Amino acid sequence: MKVGAPGKKLGWVIFQVLVLHLLLQSVHSQKSRNKVNTTNPGQSIPGLAVQLRRVSNEKVVVDNGIIQVTFSSPQGLITGIKYNGIDNVLDDEIDDRGYWDVAWYEPEKDLEIDKLEGTKFEIITQNEEQVEISFTRTWTISKRGSLVPLNVDKRYIIRTGVSGIYMYGILERLEGWPDVDMDQIRIVFKLNPKKFDFMAISDDRQRSMPSMADRDNAKILAYKEAVLLTNPKNPMFKGEVDDKYMYSMEDKDNNVHGWISSDPPVGFWMITPSDEFRLGGPIKQDLTSHAGPITLSMFTSTHYAGKEMRMDYRNGEPWKKVFGPVLAYLNSVSPKDSTLRLWRDAKRQMTEEVRSWPYDFVNSEDYPLSHQRGTIEGQFYIKDRYVSSLNIYGKFAFVGLAPVGEAGSWQTESKGYQFWTKADRKGRFIIENVRAGNYSLYAWGYGFIGDYKYEQNITIMPGSQMNVGPIVYEPPRNGPTLWEIGVPDRTAGEFYIPDPYPTLMNKLYVNPLQDRFRQYGLWDRYADLYPKNDLVYTVGVSDYRRDWFFAHVTRNVGNNTYDSTTWQIIFNLNNVNRVGLYTLRIALASAADSELQVRVNNPQSDHIFTTGLIGKDNAIARHGIHGLYRLYSINVAGDLLSVGDNTIYLTQSRSIGPFQGVMYDYIRLESPFTT
C-alpha cells in the first residue's frame, strides 16, 4: 500500500491537469466560435449550435452565436437582429422593421397593403445545424375584403456558421377563390438610421445617402418620389435630387445590394441567388435599396411595365408559388479595415449562394432539390439572308424557359417560374436546375429584332437532360435594309442623353456615361433643345448618338401645358418600286400613355399607322432607359414614296403631361422583297 500511494497521487495530479486543459480548450473554442473571421468577414468559424428559444407567446428568438434574430409570434415579423455589438440593426423606433407585404385589390376596388401576418407558429426543423421556422395564415371567405385571398407560409432558416437569415414564402390560392389583382410582392427591411448611411448596389453605384428626415424636409418635384434636398442635416447633400427609382436595376444584375455602417463597420445585404421566382425575364427592372435606410427583396411588381405585368386572377383560378429563398446577409470588419471590404465580401457571399443553388437544406415539398430538377441545352442561330448567306451564331443571346405562351409573352408573364441564361459566343446555351413542368423555349438578343419561340412545348422531368440541338430564328424581314437608326438591343441607351439641369442632379451619375439617363428632369431638356421646331433626322448625315433624343416626349410650353411632337426622318431614294410594299420596322423600348402615328411625305395626311394608346411602364418619369418591348411592322405603299428626298413623320399625339412618350429601340426601312 505504501509503495502504491505515490502512484495514485501522481495519477490524481495528471487527472487534474487534463481537466484544466480541457476546460481551457473549451473556453478557447467558445471564443473562437464567436470570433469574426477576417478572411471572410461575414462568416464565423463553424461549430456553435443554432438555438431556438420561445421567449413568450409573442416572441421567438433564434441564435447561432453570430446573429440573434427576434420574430413576433405568430405574426412572423422580424423585429430585431443583433449582430457584432449592435443590439438591433433594424430601426427599433418604428414597428415595421422587417416584413413581407403584398399590394392587392379586388377588381374596381381600392388598393390594399397586406403584411401577410401569420396566425400560427411552427417549428419545421430544429437541430444543431439549422433551425427552420414557419409562420402561416389560412384564408377563409370571412376575411374577404380585409386580407388578400392567399394561404401564406413564411419560412425563415438560420444555419450554423452563417451570418444571415434565409427567407422564403409559399403563397397559394385555392380553386374558386375571389377575383384579385396583385401588383407587388416583396420583403422590406428598414435599418437603423443612426448606423447605416452608405449604400452600395453595384461596383460603380455606391454613395453616402441622405436620411429619411432629409427627404421629409425636402421639396417635392414633378413626380412624387423625387425630392430636391433643400435643408439636409449633412450639407454635402444640399441641392441634390433623391429618388428611389434612381437606384433601380435589371433583375439579371440584381443579385446583391445593401448598406454599410461605419461605426461599427457592419454591412447588411440582400442576396438573391436565383431569378427563377421573379417575373418578366432577365431585364425586368426593379427597386433595390434606397434612402431610409431601406433594403428590398422585390419578387414581383409592375415597375417599368405597368398593369400588363400585374398578377390578375379570375374565375376562381388556383395558383401556388414559392418565392425565394433569399438571404439577408450581415458582415463586419475590423475598425482598422476599409468598410469597402464589406462590399467585396458581400459579392463573394453572393457568388457562393449562386453556386449553392438550389439549396439542399430547405425543408419543403414545394421546393425541389437539385436531383428533382432538369437541364436543357442547345445552340441558337440567326438566319437573315440579307445579312449573311449562312446561319449566324446567336452569340450572347438570352435563352430561357418560361410558362407556355406566344413569342415574347415571357416579358409580361407574372405567375410562373422563369429560367434564363446567356448563350456563349457560338450561341451554345445550357439551362440548369429547372423545375419540373411544361414550358416554352424563348430567345432574343442584341443585334436582331423580334422574339423567338421554339415550335414545340418543352416538358422538364425530374432529373431529365434534354438537348434541342441547333435551333434557328428568322427575325422579321421582307427585304434589304435601306437605312436604319439605332441598335436593336431593347433599350434607348445608344441615343443622345442630354446633360441634366445643374440644380437637379444626383452626384452619383455625374461621371458614369452608362447611367446618365438616371438623372432627374431629362424629359424637360427636349424643350430646351427644340423650343419651337421638333427633331429632324437626315439619314446619311445625322448621327443617332448625338442627333436622336433618347425619348420622344411632349414639349413643355409653360403654364403646365404640353404639346404633342412630330419628329421627321428625311431619306433619299435613287429609285422607287411604285407597286411594291416597303416595310417600316419600329421597335419601341418604352411607352407611357402614348400614341405613335406614322405619316409619309405629308404631315397633314391621314396616318398610315397608329399604335393607339399604349404603355404604362413610366420609364421616362422613373429614370429608366427601357420598359416593355414592342415591335411594329408597317407596310408603306411604294406609290407614297418618290425618287429623291422623302420624309417619314413620327407623331407622339398624346400631350396631357410631361411623362408621356415613347423610347425607340430601333427603326429600319426595308425595300420590297427581292429574290
Short mmCIF file of all heavy atoms in Angstrom, two decimals, residues 6 174 280 482 603 622:
data_model
loop_
_atom_site.label_atom_id
_atom_site.label_comp_id
_atom_site.label_asym_id
_atom_site.label_seq_id
_atom_site.Cartn_x
_atom_site.Cartn_y
_atom_site.Cartn_z
N PRO A 6 2.30 6.88 -3.85
CA PRO A 6 2.81 7.94 -4.73
C PRO A 6 2.26 7.84 -6.16
O PRO A 6 1.99 8.85 -6.80
CB PRO A 6 4.31 7.73 -4.70
CG PRO A 6 4.58 7.02 -3.43
CD PRO A 6 3.42 6.13 -3.24
N LEU A 174 -56.59 28.86 -53.65
CA LEU A 174 -57.34 27.64 -53.94
C LEU A 174 -58.39 27.92 -55.02
O LEU A 174 -58.82 29.06 -55.22
CB LEU A 174 -58.00 27.11 -52.69
CG LEU A 174 -57.05 26.71 -51.54
CD1 LEU A 174 -57.84 26.09 -50.39
CD2 LEU A 174 -55.96 25.77 -52.02
N GLY A 280 -41.10 38.45 -65.54
CA GLY A 280 -40.78 39.39 -66.60
C GLY A 280 -39.44 39.24 -67.27
O GLY A 280 -39.03 40.12 -68.04
N LEU A 482 -32.76 49.61 -96.31
CA LEU A 482 -32.44 50.87 -96.98
C LEU A 482 -31.71 51.81 -96.03
O LEU A 482 -30.77 52.49 -96.42
CB LEU A 482 -33.72 51.53 -97.51
CG LEU A 482 -34.40 50.80 -98.67
CD1 LEU A 482 -35.75 51.42 -98.99
CD2 LEU A 482 -33.51 50.84 -99.91
N PRO A 603 -47.35 65.74 -93.73
CA PRO A 603 -47.69 65.74 -92.30
C PRO A 603 -49.17 65.97 -92.02
O PRO A 603 -49.64 65.70 -90.92
CB PRO A 603 -46.84 66.89 -91.75
CG PRO A 603 -46.59 67.79 -92.92
CD PRO A 603 -46.50 66.89 -94.10
N ARG A 622 -39.37 57.57 -64.29
CA ARG A 622 -38.64 56.82 -63.27
C ARG A 622 -37.22 56.49 -63.71
O ARG A 622 -36.64 55.50 -63.27
CB ARG A 622 -39.44 55.57 -62.89
CG ARG A 622 -40.66 55.94 -62.05
CD ARG A 622 -41.53 54.79 -61.69
NE ARG A 622 -42.48 55.17 -60.64
CZ ARG A 622 -43.52 54.44 -60.24
NH1 ARG A 622 -43.75 53.27 -60.82
NH2 ARG A 622 -44.31 54.85 -59.28
#
